Amino acid sequence: MGTGFSFFLGETSTGLLGSSSLPAKPGLGDLPESCISSIFMYLDPPEICKLAQMNRAFRAASLADFVWESKLPSNFKFLVDKVLDHENLPKKEIYARLCQPNCFDGGTKEVWLDKSCGQVFLSISSRALRITGIDDRRYWSHIPTEESRFHTVAYLQQIWWVEALGELEFEFPRGSYSLYFRLQLGKTCPKRFGRRVCNADQVHGWHIKPVRFQLSTSDGQHALSECYLHQQGSWVHYHVGDFVVIDNHKPMKIKFSMVQIDCTHTKGGLSLDSVLIYPSKFREKLI
């Protein structure tokens, strides 16, 4: 028993069994940087950022270009050319910048990455659409609002023929995508006593005939849906359809539209914010 006790003390103190203590056991900070970086390739970006705060070795390993290149989408070079000013940035910096909303086409479109998984998201302003009668203030007007990422929405007072057309040419990573129109029945007004206000006085005509949504792609995909607009006072994402990207190194042309051209009655009180393109697996997040 005494021998065992003396041996235990000899591991932790000096002068009992030797002139110096035994070498300290290696810790996480002693792992080779290349080994840590290789492990980081199997983690999500938020996990990498958390571990980078542990010590200097982890932080240095988290800066490796090959770690962040594995997190970037396959079209990241296309994105860099389209929305970033500098090409020779560290891959971690490129990832961080692409996770922010990045404008292109004169500020009428935005693209960003999901911080957790690096998937690509797109938003297209109402100003990028060809809207019948948009230049005639008897029918349409642009309303400033904080509820749009573009800070303005197209608002319809009243018209017989509703038609909004758009198109996009973009290089998407391989995968399935869903396209939506973001609409609201009613006009958002300045807040009163800190509460959101939506004026629905001009809303009419949408319950008589459905709105038709369509999309088509340059590789022959088509989608069609019809929907009555009935939910007033809140923004709704109306699902147009889905498309699949197989060739992820070739730009795809997409055309999409929203029409209600039954001229037997007028329609009004509609706010048109934007068109969204999301990876299909994020559909529940929009709903």
Side-chain angles (χ1 to χ4, degrees), residues 121-248:
F121 295 73
L122 277 164
S123 183
I124 303 166
S125 168
S126 59
R127 289 186 179 274
L129 307 180
R130 300 191 307 276
I131 302 175
T132 301
I134 191 64
D135 296 324
D136 193 328
R137 291 187 62 83
R138 292 176 300 173
Y139 308 127
W140 290 90
S141 59
H142 292 287
I143 305 297
T145 175
E146 296 179 355
E147 296 184 353
S148 170
R149 65 172 56 248
F150 299 101
H151 309 294
T152 182
V153 301
Y155 179 71
L156 172 65
Q157 284 86 233
Q158 178 172 287
I159 204 169
W160 294 88
W161 180 293
V162 176
E163 186 175 37
L165 311 174
E167 57 184 66
L168 171 73
E169 184 172 359
F170 199 82
E171 183 180 309
F172 290 92
R174 185 180 290 111
S176 177
Y177 297 86
S178 300
L179 189 144
Y180 306 83
F181 272 81
R182 185 173 188 256
L183 309 173
Q184 175 182 254
L185 288 182
K187 179 181 179 182
T188 302
C189 303
K191 291 183 178 181
R192 297 176 185 172
F193 306 106
R195 298 183 63 181
R196 183 180 186 273
V197 179
C198 183
N199 187 338
D201 291 345
Q202 292 182 310
V203 175
H204 69 281
W206 301 106
H207 66 288
I208 301 174
K209 290 290 180 66
V211 174
R212 172 173 290 190
F213 300 99
Q214 285 183 284
L215 76 82
S216 62
T217 66
S218 54
D219 63 353
Q221 300 180 66
H222 298 274
L224 169 66
S225 62
E226 291 187 345
C227 181
Y228 287 92
L229 309 187
H230 56 80
Q231 185 172 334
Q232 297 186 15
S234 60
W235 291 104
V236 179
H237 295 93
Y238 291 91
H239 182 218
V240 179
D242 301 335
F243 61 93
V244 178
V245 177
I246 299 175
D247 187 349
N248 61 335

